[in-house]
Amino acid sequence: MKKVVVKTAKWIIALAVVSYMLMAIWQSYKPLPKGLSQRDALQPAMDVAFLADETWTGADGRRHRDQAIFDEVLRLIAQADRLVVLDMFLFNDFGATADDAFRPLSRQITQALIQRQAAVPGLTAVLITDPINTVYGGVSSSHLKALREAGIEVVMTDLPRLRASNPAWSGFWHLCCRVFGNTNDAGWLPNALGDGRVTLRSYLQLLNFSANHRKILVVDEGEQWTGLVTSANPHDASSLHDNVALRFSGPAALDLLDSERAVADFSGAGEAIPATTDAIFNGAQRERAQEPPSNRERGPVRAQVRAQVRVQVLTESGIRDALLAAVAGSAPGDRLDIAVFYLAHRELIEAVKAASARGVKVRVLLDPNRDAFGIEKNGIPNRPAGRELHAAGVPVRWCNTHGEQCHAKMLLRRPQEGPAELIVGSANFTRRNLDDLNLETSVRLLASSDRPAITAAGAFFEREWSNPRGRRSSLPYAHFADPSWRRYWQYRLMEATGLSTF
């Protein structure tokens, strides 16, 4: 009898192990939901603008800030008459206190949406967001509740439909824990992200490290459609971060809208974003096409701008491919400037090193990865990655942060010949952000180097890099140089396995 029990136990353990391994493999390689990993065509664009939020220390030692991104988001919401679609990763006031002079971004966006919905009853307003804002169902969000009560559609992204960022854990979670769901009225554990208490199930889902990390806005603006793609979150405790954004009007805004329909669809809200916007847009364009040139797009001058300025919407691995192509396509003498919160993607790091070796003028500005909402971090992954670049002769500087983060995700390529190329958006330069794991959106702008958006992006990078007029925005490489081989291989292991938050 004892032998039978032992043999049965062995079979059960073996079955459990095989089931776990098969689930981990399936969750790592399962098909993506339809409409993800988007690489749209380059589209002619109008009214293109580069926007930035900057926080820096002056020569007087005082903190200064200059913000533009959410001012523009609020302006665009306030004028919309037909449609507002936002997809924002962090949409909460977790971790913010009045003592820190944080801007109440989540409340401002909530109020702007509610006020516009009340002023224009026929408006369709949709917010797509990530379950982290309810700690995966463990707490109730007052902002999301107020939006729903005002008639605004709130779509919570169905993260289990995505591939596993952390398959070592997700293989187990999908077998043992997903079926139990969650509740916001039975919390007994401290909420590590904010006030209140959450269930154990919140933490079990958090360990999957999956996210809808997108940050976009699409609205109607007069007779055109306008999109905005950014690295910034409407998250109060993130309101001092450095961030970047690109605003544009034209057909690419509808490509952006199509990418959001895909998320709404696989999250069970397929009808949230109306499918009639293409017809509305095309109709408006046909009406304007019949107007005399003096009334249409400011005549030949505006038509020339459209021909020279093009925007491409990219999501998930489409962003990776565009970044790699931009770096690989850089020739000796070209300028390549990178500013990013997390740099860890192995293929991209090797491409940057190779570009520098063949004579491309590369500069890399990195967050030192020391500040995370009051928690001091150990510098991974940027300090090991920065060490590798520095050893290869790539100039590296660190953002001079004091509690805030250098949260931009930006690559600017200015060749000696041909159009400049700017890629900005939500995606950090890591495996999780670029290899079809998180949901991400970035945009690629092609325009001549003298176009305002390109010159503004270049000026932003130069301010951060060169510290003009007494600014203390960045520090030399030696300030955060990290010679530790242990941390270097720790970063490599975390990047390869997904056992990390980057």
Side-chain angles (χ1 to χ4, degrees), residues 76 124 139 230 239 247 262 304 360 364 378 385 394 439 457 466 478 481 501:
L76 289 169
T124 298
V139 297
T230 181
S239 61
R247 187 206 68 215
Q304 185 180 20
V360 178
V364 178
N378 62 1
V394 178
L439 293 179
S466 301
T501 57

Side-chain angles (χ1 to χ4, degrees), residues 39-339:
R39 300 159 180 81
D40 284 306
L42 280 162
Q43 301 276 21
M46 303 172 292
D47 301 325
V48 179
F50 175 86
L51 307 169
D53 289 349
E54 301 174 61
T55 298
W56 73 95
T57 302
D60 55 3
R62 296 173 55 195
R63 176 186 273 179
H64 302 265
R65 54 180 166 175
D66 186 7
Q67 299 186 330
I69 296 172
F70 280 103
D71 290 345
E72 180 65 3
V73 169
L74 291 169
R75 183 193 73 81
L76 289 169
I77 291 172
Q79 59 79 54
D81 288 323
R82 287 173 279 173
L83 182 68
V84 175
V85 175
L86 290 103
D87 189 341
M88 292 288 171
F89 170 50
L90 295 180
F91 192 94
N92 63 68
D93 53 14
F94 294 163
T97 65
D99 295 338
D100 294 312
F102 291 129
R103 182 177 176 180
L105 289 172
S106 54
R107 176 167 56 82
Q108 289 178 356
I109 299 298
T110 297
Q111 290 177 345
L113 288 168
I114 292 173
Q115 289 170 3
R116 194 58 184 169
Q117 183 73 73
V120 186
L123 177 73
T124 298
V126 181
L127 170 68
I128 302 173
T129 193
D130 188 273
I132 196 172
N133 296 296
T134 62
V135 197
Y136 306 98
V139 297
S140 177
S141 165
S142 60
H143 298 301
L144 301 185
K145 180 181 178 182
L147 290 173
R148 289 188 175 107
E149 290 176 348
I152 294 164
E153 182 85 25
V154 177
V155 179
M156 197 63 70
T157 308
D158 187 1
L159 295 181
R161 293 289 307 277
L162 305 180
R163 290 176 182 165
S165 294
N166 179 15
W169 170 251
S170 296
F172 176 74
W173 181 82
H174 278 274
L175 289 172
C176 84
C177 315
R178 178 182 175 183
V179 67
F180 296 110
N182 207 348
T183 178
N184 60 23
D185 60 2
W188 56 281
L189 294 173
N191 177 8
L193 303 180
D195 296 332
R197 293 186 171 272
V198 298
T199 65
L200 176 62
R201 287 166 286 175
S202 289
Y203 286 104
L204 295 179
Q205 184 167 353
L206 181 150
L207 291 173
N208 290 308
F209 300 142
S210 293
N212 175 358
H213 197 243
R214 295 181 178 185
K215 304 159 184 70
I216 72 96
L217 170 69
V218 181
V219 300
D220 65 287
E221 188 177 14
E223 292 184 345
Q224 65 188 13
W225 292 94
T226 295
L228 184 146
V229 176
T230 181
S231 64
N233 290 293
H235 171 230
D236 297 15
S238 298
S239 61
L240 295 178
H241 293 358
D242 281 11
N243 279 296
V244 296
L246 194 74
R247 187 206 68 215
F248 53 92
S249 297
L254 291 182
D255 292 338
L256 189 58
L257 198 60
D258 286 341
S259 72
E260 292 305 317
R261 283 198 192 95
V263 180
D265 187 51
F266 79 72
S267 298
E271 302 302 318
I273 301 174
T276 58
T277 48
D278 289 312
I280 294 171
F281 177 80
N282 291 331
Q285 294 302 301
R286 282 194 297 270
E287 289 175 8
R288 298 177 73 195
Q290 295 170 4
E291 297 175 4
S294 59
N295 297 328
R296 186 172 67 251
E297 296 176 353
R298 300 179 202 156
V301 174
R302 194 59 174 275
Q304 185 180 20
V305 171
R306 287 173 59 91
Q308 294 180 349
V309 179
R310 295 179 292 164
V311 168
Q312 180 182 26
V313 174
L314 305 163
T315 68
E316 290 77 58
S317 63
I319 306 166
R320 175 199 64 206
D321 295 345
L323 290 169
L324 289 171
V327 176
S330 299
D334 290 357
R335 289 182 291 169
L336 185 65
D337 293 329
I338 294 172

Side-chain angles (χ1 to χ4, degrees), residues 341-353:
F341 178 53
Y342 282 142
L343 175 62
H345 195 278
R346 294 308 309 164
E347 195 174 355
L348 187 57
I349 289 173
E350 293 298 333
V352 170
K353 289 162 56 178

